[in-house]
Structures are given as C-alpha cells and as structure tokens.
Amino acid sequence: MLSRVMPSNVEIKAKVSDLPHFSEMAAQLSQSEGTIIRQRDTFFNCSQGRLKLRDFMNGSGQLIFYERPDTDGPKLSRYSISPTNDPQSLRTVLSDALGIKGEVRKERRLFLVGQTRVHLDTVEGLGNYMELEVVMRPEQTVEEGQQVAEDLMEQLGVSKESLVTGAYMDLLLKGQEDA
C-alpha cells in the first residue's frame, strides 16, 4: 500500500464578540472585503477523526476527512478532501452507510492573509466565530505554523480567553446536552 502524507494546517478557533471590528481588521490585513460562502456541513459517524460533507448550496461540495486534537490554541490538523458535483446523493449514501452525527449551517466570510485562510463565520445556533487556518508548506514545522497563527491572532486582536476547542459540531452537540 502506498503511504502518502496528508496535507496539514495549523488551526485556531475563537468566539468573536465584536463582529464589525474583527471584520474590519481582517479586511485591512487581507486588503479585500472577503468572499462570502454559504455552507452546510453534514457530519457522519466514523470510528476515527471526523468525516463531513460540505455542501456549498450551489450544486458543488467536498467530502472532507480530518483529524486534529480537541485543544484550544494552535493545533495541527491533517485532512483529505474529495470534490463532488452531487452533494445531495453523496449525503444520502453516507447517511445510509454511517448515520448522521449532526449538521452545521454557516455563512463564512473568507479572507486570505499570506498563507493563512481567515474565516469569519456566523454559525446557526452558535453565533459568530473566527478560524485561522495556516496552510502548511511541506518544509514548515508545526512550531512555525503555530507562530504564524499566534502572530495573526495578535494582529486581529483575538484574546486567548476567546479560544474554543473542538469543531462547531461539537459545540452544537454540547449545547443540546446543556439545554
């Protein structure tokens, strides 16, 4: 069997309390107004990592598998992605085979700052969050990626107290348990 290195990124997620301010800072750093992307992520039961189908609500989507630790602060995420032109039928097949863990609907504003994807997300049922995804270059160490993320976090005014662990799906499921 051929082994391959999965692409990786260093990711930080945090709650955003001042949406206009964060949006303005991200726009300045990226020198753009950002791109709006509507997404519906369906998470499926799987034995390791996370498997989600991202539907862009325009007839296209991506099946994404990823693994990363549930800790706050910068963390390494390894992933693989397969594009699809029929997210609905793929959702049906995966739902029948694995069962659905849950669904996350969000409007994402994407800004690009150097090698980092800055996401400003409004998540149904959760509120406003930001994600930094430092897309790692093959020669970069995890520590270098973490430094890029921490520097950008500082430039965007994101406090360590606002950091969150886990995926939006986890936060939604936890909210249902607490209710």
Side-chain angles (χ1 to χ4, degrees):
M1 186 171 119
L2 282 175
S3 81
R4 66 180 188 89
V5 176
M6 289 173 88
S8 62
N9 60 34
V10 169
E11 195 173 288
I12 288 180
K13 185 177 296 176
K15 186 97 173 105
V16 172
S17 53
D18 187 343
L19 189 73
H21 177 72
F22 183 89
S23 185
E24 189 179 309
M25 299 298 290
Q28 281 177 15
L29 286 171
S30 69
Q31 298 180 332
S32 79
E33 287 306 305
T35 306
I36 301 229
I37 307 165
R38 286 178 56 238
Q39 298 175 344
R40 181 177 79 188
D41 291 347
T42 303
F43 285 78
F44 300 94
N45 298 313
C46 67
S47 57
Q48 65 176 46
R50 294 187 173 101
L51 181 66
K52 70 180 172 187
L53 177 63
R54 173 159 289 161
D55 187 340
F56 292 110
M57 316 303 285
N58 64 3
S60 72
Q62 297 172 324
L63 184 61
I64 304 167
F65 170 76
Y66 66 100
E67 295 178 289
R68 73 161 178 253
D70 285 334
T71 55
D72 61 10
K75 49 195 160 280
L76 187 68
S77 180
R78 298 185 188 285
Y79 59 92
S80 49
I81 298 176
S82 176
T84 178
N85 291 324
D86 191 355
Q88 280 310 102
S89 70
L90 187 54
R91 183 180 193 273
T92 301
V93 170
L94 288 167
S95 169
D96 289 348
L98 302 172
I100 291 178
K101 184 176 185 179
E103 201 174 82
V104 176
R105 292 172 184 263
K106 65 181 175 258
E107 184 174 278
R108 168 167 281 177
R109 208 158 140 200
L110 166 65
F111 302 91
L112 297 174
V113 180
Q115 72 187 90
T116 306
R117 296 168 58 92
V118 178
H119 301 147
L120 179 53
D121 293 338
T122 300
V123 185
E124 243 178 64
L126 283 181
N128 300 314
Y129 289 81
M130 73 95 216
E131 268 182 6
L132 302 180
E133 279 181 11
V134 181
V135 181
M136 300 294 287
R137 295 191 288 262
E139 74 281 1
Q140 277 183 309
T141 64
V142 176
E143 291 74 24
E144 288 171 318
Q146 289 174 334
Q147 192 58 57
V148 169
E150 285 172 4
D151 291 347
L152 196 50
M153 205 174 112
E154 202 171 296
Q155 291 174 56
L156 289 164
V158 176
S159 70
K160 290 204 178 339
E161 296 75 42
S162 63
L163 294 177
V164 294
T165 61
Y168 294 136
M169 187 71 256
D170 302 328
L171 295 171
L172 284 166
L173 290 172
K174 186 179 181 319
Q176 289 169 3
E177 287 170 16
D178 295 346

